[in-house]
Amino acid sequence: MKKKGLSVLLMCAVTSSMLFAGCGEPEQKEEPSSGNSAPATEEADEDAGGGEETDATGSAGGDFSGITLVFAQDLGTDETANNVTNEILQEYMDKTGVTIQFENQATEADYVTWLTTQFTASQGPDVYSGLIYNMTNDYEAGYLYNFKDLYEQESPYDPGKPWKDTLPESILERMYITPDDVPGYPSATSVVRIFYNKTLFDAAGAKIPETWAEFMEACETLKAAGTIPFGFPNASQNDLSWLWFNNSVCSQLNSQMVEALDASGNGYVELNEMAKGFDEGTLDFTSDRMKKSYEMMKDFSRYWTSDYNGLDQASAIDMFIRGEVAMVQAMSTDLTKISAGVGDTFEYGVMPVPVITEETSEYAMGQSVILGGQPNIIYGVNKALESDPEKLAAAIDFAQYMSSPEVQTRYADTINRIPLATSNELPERLAGFIITEDALRVPYYTGVSGELRDFFCRGGQLYLEGSYDTDEYAQYVQESFATVFETIKVENGWSADNNYGLE
């Protein structure tokens, strides 16, 4: 059954059935590898495979001399990421003889705009990467080659089993738009964690928390010792802690909610299922469980810097690096900056959002919920290449090379991307990013629309500063969802009459 609405799902949908298990030890002050030397790539003679429409084949490191491929990826202005990517591309060109024309844009918005412009003009890149919702959109628009048959074959860069079997099950299920449609292959993920200053915790006599009750107790202990517990950026919707924390807290109070909303039975609540549940009253942001989550966040705000509504993410991380706050929420990709900035000044670790237990709320399901961890950096191939089998074979080989364990490990070593291939092992410094949490199964706040995120963040600022009480804020959120869902239903042609597009 087609997963309608997947294109606007939250960027954070992965389950704890990731290949990794267990909880990492506190993250130590360790410099990332320079990554200046590429690992040797295993040669193989197996075919790269093709789709149903062509017999395109290729082999690892085959000779593609005379072929030029346009490759696009959103790396922004990250110097390290661009440098290592250019090194990898040069090594691939030296190995295969292919010419890679690399396109990168300064921002994500620029990248999406560039891709849209290029595809509209029938000049889309031959290979490019994106997030699951963007790649789903592009596949459904007819821009992307179907990887379904490739998934059934071995990758020449990771031989020994079908390509699909190199992915964790939870990632694999998100990649199939339908049982017969796969828009690409994901190579990495980023995981959100709470970074904590273990030195400040020890000095205050605070325990590293595992539950929400212990988390609040630790914050109180730190505050009593004269330490600001948390650098919480909340200046705009781009400062994601308000969205991240609320997604996790609400989801941890999800007892029975997923079952009530998940009409398709796939374990995830997609956008049309949210719209249906909202119209039918199953999804109600004025309910006691939702109000409880807002009250918990308001209580938590006592432990933030006083200027949190004017604090941005970069400044919050800088405060943590300088030892001015005991905790900050950041992504695995921020580890390089934090590690370099902290140096030997203090010991630090990382932890997921603590588990909410029945001690805190009767609605608690007793498991934390992952933030980040979606199938990410998905490599896709332009469907137009089906008319040129030789170029298609080169593009497939390149996509398989870029998503290979060797290249994924290279990115983990240099920019702390969490590799997805089951044949990869995480570097020791990334042990704290092993995923143990449940998936974010209902994308409450980040997975609906930019307009909703803006509503939620602006209203949250007013709630936190006291302009709304909890009941008023819950009603504000309810009305915001009503406004946004009306637009979404019109755009998608969803209504009760057609069961909101569910099949």
Side-chain angles (χ1 to χ4, degrees):
M1 182 178 70
K2 191 167 185 177
K3 300 176 182 177
K4 293 183 180 294
L6 181 61
S7 62
V8 282
L9 278 175
L10 170 69
M11 297 166 58
C12 308
V14 107
T15 73
S16 59
S17 62
M18 290 283 290
L19 106 102
F20 314 118
C23 184
E25 293 298 315
E27 185 80 29
Q28 302 299 315
K29 310 175 294 297
E30 183 174 344
E31 293 296 329
S33 165
S34 64
N36 289 329
S37 298
T41 302
E42 184 177 353
E43 299 289 339
D45 295 327
E46 287 85 356
D47 288 344
E52 297 179 15
E53 298 87 351
T54 129
D55 60 354
T57 60
S59 60
D63 184 3
F64 297 114
S65 300
I67 294 176
T68 297
L69 296 175
V70 177
F71 168 56
Q73 188 168 76
D74 174 24
L75 296 175
T77 58
D78 186 316
E79 184 176 357
T80 302
N82 277 281
N83 285 344
V84 70
T85 297
N86 281 312
E87 291 171 3
I88 290 168
L89 296 182
Q90 186 60 58
E91 290 159 9
Y92 182 77
M93 288 189 285
D94 292 343
K95 182 186 298 290
T96 64
V98 72
T99 298
I100 303 292
Q101 180 183 326
F102 181 36
E103 297 285 348
N104 182 30
Q105 304 296 316
T107 68
E108 180 184 357
D110 290 341
Y111 181 67
V112 172
T113 299
W114 182 84
L115 285 173
T116 300
T117 301
Q118 295 298 306
F119 277 116
T120 300
S122 299
Q123 297 176 350
D126 300 306
V127 180
Y128 70 105
S129 70
L131 304 177
I132 183 63
Y133 55 91
N134 286 335
M135 301 302 274
T136 301
N137 268 346
D138 290 348
Y139 184 88
E140 292 178 341
Y143 299 148
L144 283 171
Y145 180 75
N146 189 358
F147 273 40
K148 178 182 181 293
D149 287 351
L150 293 174
Y151 269 42
E152 301 296 331
Q153 305 169 26
E154 294 181 9
S155 164
Y157 295 99
D158 194 5
K161 53 188 171 183
W163 204 17
K164 67 179 181 180
D165 291 346
T166 65
L167 291 174
E169 184 63 31
S170 57
I171 295 292
L172 185 64
E173 71 179 17
R174 305 307 286 165
M175 289 307 304
Y176 278 84
I177 301 173
T178 77
D180 296 313
D181 297 281
V182 183
Y185 184 91
S187 69
T189 188
S190 294
V191 176
V192 179
R193 285 288 181 259
I194 297 171
F195 285 71
Y196 62 89
N197 183 324
K198 189 174 184 299
T199 303
L200 287 178
F201 267 71
D202 289 345
K207 175 186 174 182
I208 306 303
E210 295 182 2
T211 69
W212 189 268
E214 291 172 350
F215 185 42
M216 292 298 98
E217 182 179 349
C219 285
E220 184 62 34
T221 301
L222 288 161
K223 186 175 181 179
T227 296
I228 299 173
F230 213 99
F232 197 99
N234 201 41
S236 74
Q237 65 164 289
N238 296 321
D239 304 303
L240 293 168
S241 285
W242 178 245
L243 295 164
W244 281 336
F245 258 99
N246 275 282
N247 267 315
S248 183
V249 170
C250 284
S251 293
Q252 291 197 52
L253 305 184
N254 259 356
S255 178
Q256 309 303 316
M257 277 292 290
V258 173
E259 293 85 348
L261 295 170
D262 180 22
S264 70
N266 70 350
Y268 296 87
V269 179
E270 276 106 17
L271 190 59
N272 51 347
E273 294 169 329
M274 289 182 71
K276 175 182 170 69
F278 185 85
D279 283 357
E280 294 176 351
T282 307
L283 182 59
D284 181 2
F285 293 90
T286 66
S287 65
D288 288 344
R289 80 170 69 225
M290 292 297 183
K291 287 191 288 188
K292 176 63 176 178
S293 71
Y294 304 145
E295 289 168 353
M296 289 171 61
M297 290 302 297
K298 182 68 175 289
D299 182 52
F300 178 30
S301 71
R302 296 183 293 127
Y303 302 114
W304 307 345
T305 59
S306 59
D307 64 341
Y308 54 80
N309 276 345
L311 186 67
D312 61 39
Q313 179 72 13
S315 298
I317 290 175
D318 287 341
M319 292 183 72
F320 177 79
I321 288 171
R322 293 193 298 266
E324 296 171 6
V325 296
M327 290 177 280
V328 72
Q329 197 172 41
M331 300 184 74
S332 55
T333 49
D334 293 310
L335 178 60
T336 300
K337 176 181 178 179
I338 291 173
S339 177
V342 169
D344 295 324
T345 57
F346 60 82
E347 186 179 358
Y348 67 89
V350 298
M351 61 182 172
V353 175
V355 177
I356 300 171
T357 64
E358 291 184 357
E359 177 184 5
T360 299
S361 172
E362 64 183 292
Y363 303 110
M365 65 179 189
Q367 187 174 10
S368 187
V369 171
I370 185 65
L371 300 172
Q374 71 151 357
N376 202 346
I377 317 295
I378 298 167
Y379 289 94
V381 170
N382 194 328
K383 183 177 175 62
L385 297 186
E386 291 174 356
S387 63
D388 187 340
E390 185 178 8
K391 192 170 184 179
L392 175 61
I396 289 170
D397 185 82
F398 176 63
Q400 291 178 318
Y401 174 76
M402 291 301 291
S403 56
S404 67
E406 292 82 5
V407 172
Q408 287 188 40
T409 297
R410 183 89 164 269
Y411 279 119
D413 286 341
T414 54
I415 61 173
N416 301 302
R417 282 184 188 167
I418 308 300
L420 288 178
T422 55
S423 47
N424 278 97
E425 293 185 8
L426 282 177
E428 180 61 30
R429 72 178 180 285
L430 295 180
F433 296 91
I434 293 171
I435 296 172
T436 60
E437 306 97 302
D438 191 21
L440 185 95
R441 299 183 180 277
V442 187
Y444 289 112
Y445 307 115
T446 54
V448 177
S449 72
E451 183 182 23
L452 188 279
R453 290 194 297 272
D454 189 48
F455 279 146
F456 187 71
C457 289
R458 286 191 285 114
Q461 289 175 330
L462 295 171
Y463 173 55
L464 292 168
E465 69 183 23
S467 297
Y468 291 145
D469 64 21
T470 300
D471 288 337
E472 290 169 335
Y473 182 59
Q475 185 60 41
Y476 166 89
V477 175
Q478 182 79 357
E479 292 171 356
S480 298
F481 268 86
T483 298
V484 170
F485 275 142
E486 283 305 312
T487 300
I488 290 172
K489 287 187 294 184
V490 170
E491 290 176 346
N492 290 278
W494 296 339
S495 69
D497 292 339
N498 63 14
N499 197 27
Y500 300 86
L502 293 165
E503 297 177 4

